[in-house]
Amino acid sequence: MSDHDYRPKSKVGQWFNDRLPLLTLANHLTDYPTPKNLNYWWTFGGILTFCLITQIVTGLTLAMHYIAHADMAFESVEHIMRDVNYGWLIRYIHANGASMFFLAVYIHIFRSLFYGSYKAPREIIWILGIIIYLLMMAAAFMGYVLPWGQMSFWGATVITNLFSAIPFVGEGIVTWLWGGYSVDNPTLTRFFTLHYLIPFLILGLVVLHIWALHVPGNNNPVGIDIKKPSKDTVPFHPYIVIKDGFALLMFMIVFAFFVFYAPNILGHADNYIEANPMVTPAHIVPEWYLLPFYAILRSVPDKLLGVVAMLSAILILAVLPWLDTSKIRSAVFRPLYKQFYWILVADVLILGYVGAMPAEGLYLLIARVATAYYFLHFLVILPVLGFKEKTLPVPLSITEPVLGGSPNLAAARNKESKIE
Amino acid sequence: MKNLFKLFSLIILIIASNSNSFAAEKVEYLKTDWSFKGLFGKFDRASLQRGYQVYAEVCASCHSMKYLSYRNLAEKGGPEFSEAQAKAIAASFEVTDGPNSDGEMFTRPGKLSDKFVMPYDNVKAAQAANGGAYPPDMSVLVKARGGGVDYIYSLLQGYEEAPSTVTLDDGVYYNKYMYGNKIRMAAPLSDGLVEYGDGTNATIEQMSKDVTTFLMWSAEPHLEARHQMGFKAITYLIILTTLVYFSMKKIWSRVESEV
């Protein structure tokens, strides 16, 4: 953290700042020394903040017109799409915004995995991030229920039924969650309430996430500790602000393409059929961003163990800082880890693919192998790799090569441009 | 910059692989050139008006369209009937209103603000009249079916003699595009079934195309506005991104580091 000997120039500013140091905070955020070698993978933090704000603003607007009632929800969404001024725009931004949010969060998480950003001293940032991710999934799931289409209804039925796997109290918990003996109006109204609440919890956690980040400062592609401020850093403003801004604009072009030209491509057609408890859809599929976990759930034959596997797949990430025994952060200097990293990426993509397919035959077999590998990566490969792997020499600073002009920096730079 | 392009293509790749995974059950649908597809896609006004005619004269006897109002028919971006025409269409329907000051329900001619009149009083009545099958509401039908417009367009032309291996119950018909090939709806269209006011030849193919265009509009009434705004928004974003890119280059030229 930069030292805070900042004093506002004006008398009024000083008076105010002595009582509430908002100006000191603003000064800290402006001057915040950031590694100058951050690549574009580091711009997704800013992009995610944008996504959260977009979801909250569009969500508030939608809530003014939406009616959380089993008999009226579907119709009120059509009312928004047809009769509310620019209602179609707001709803499509909100619906596609959820997908964009997850796209960005997955890139953000995998960036952290590649560059070892979860390692000491950044474990708390990482764990806060995992909690945010869990809340995002809860919010997205409940948000998908609100239009009260067929996938909303049956998705809610399948997911809430998972709790019935808990021994002894499972059935009771499910009834409690539903507020009745099936997914119905009480379920919808409580999901709406929670869907409204969770984004603000996320917002609070994001503040903590950024606060925790500003204590040690950003990790960087070389993954070494750097002196701050120094020749290795640039002030957040204007350097990082404009770079994040540029990346955000690129992201918004992709976002706009979906909103204006393919607004329903990421959704399921069945959700334009009003919920009908009497008709079960042929395939019940969650939204794309939950598919890898859905695949893990279905790959275990036992219901309870399936739920345990699915939850473990997420919670295992929380202990990742202690599972990864390597002292080196960046995969740039870890030739073996780098390969396993890309295998993991492929593994998760495969899980996502089979999650969308029926759980039978070859798909089920692939899902089982991929699930096993997912856990193998975190529980066996990562701990062992820390001891066995022969890592490359790491430079001492970002700007200056290791003593005596060793070629390591050039090597590091070349590697960096090769990886993505 | 090189990294950035790689990043961009990776995003596209991930999205593409994901959207592909939803198109699991592939049937080759009949294709036609839809005027509303593409960056500048707009509805063919005449086709929408003909499509409404097919809907009103053929489909509407069984299929409701409960989210549409008669005023929509005169609105911009739709069939754009004149207000007088839309009023006349509305007035041709009997609407139940009330209760009046005596507490009685009464019927009156429809107004622009009325929703499309439903062919049946409720789902049960619709099922009773159709051998147990409920003719789905058509307001968002195009968006509620996997293949979208191509699926509806194909289905309307997909009636065939059932192959000898398939046995059909009474009131069930064979359609090669229907899921499971069995459909409760008899072939709704036949050549010359409606008489188009503009002299267009009412072939099954033509009527299918017109009514599907109409259904696309009913499911997505603001499609034209969306395409127009999308082009403006993306153009604006590209220009702004370019400007910000050069500003960024300029600002970062002060430090020896690459952006």
Side-chain angles (χ1 to χ4, degrees), chain A residues 300-376:
Chain A
V300 182
D302 182 78
K303 189 175 177 184
L304 177 61
L305 291 179
V307 175
V308 170
M310 181 177 70
L311 283 177
S312 316
I314 304 165
L315 294 178
I316 204 168
L317 294 171
V319 289
L320 180 61
W322 296 277
L323 288 174
D324 187 347
T325 49
S326 176
K327 292 278 175 283
I328 306 293
R329 290 198 194 101
S330 175
V332 172
F333 305 103
R334 300 183 61 189
L336 280 177
Y337 173 71
K338 197 194 282 177
Q339 290 174 28
F340 284 115
Y341 169 85
W342 287 112
I343 296 173
L344 180 74
V345 173
D347 188 62
V348 172
L349 289 177
I350 289 168
L351 278 172
Y353 178 76
V354 292
M357 296 294 139
E360 59 201 22
L362 187 62
Y363 291 127
L364 188 59
L365 182 70
I366 295 172
R368 286 183 174 157
V369 174
T371 301
Y373 183 80
Y374 181 90
F375 286 104
L376 189 76

Side-chain angles (χ1 to χ4, degrees), chain A residues 41 82 92 239 260-261 420, chain B residues 6-7 218 220 222 226:
Chain A
W41 300 110
R82 288 160 196 276
Y92 278 155
Y239 297 97
F260 292 109
Y261 291 108
E420 288 88 19
Chain B
K6 288 175 190 164
L7 174 100
S218 74
E220 199 69 9
H222 299 293
R226 174 155 62 76

Side-chain angles (χ1 to χ4, degrees), chain B residues 25-31 145-160 173-183:
Chain B
E25 290 143 18
K26 277 235 167 81
V27 197
E28 278 300 316
Y29 295 125
L30 298 175
K31 295 273 183 262
R145 294 295 180 270
V149 279
D150 293 331
Y151 168 74
I152 305 280
Y153 177 70
S154 306
L155 184 98
L156 288 170
Q157 303 173 62
Y159 286 88
E160 279 181 353
Y173 306 87
Y174 186 85
N175 188 307
K176 65 174 172 176
Y177 298 105
M178 179 74 183
Y179 183 73
N181 297 124
K182 291 178 182 177
I183 185 165

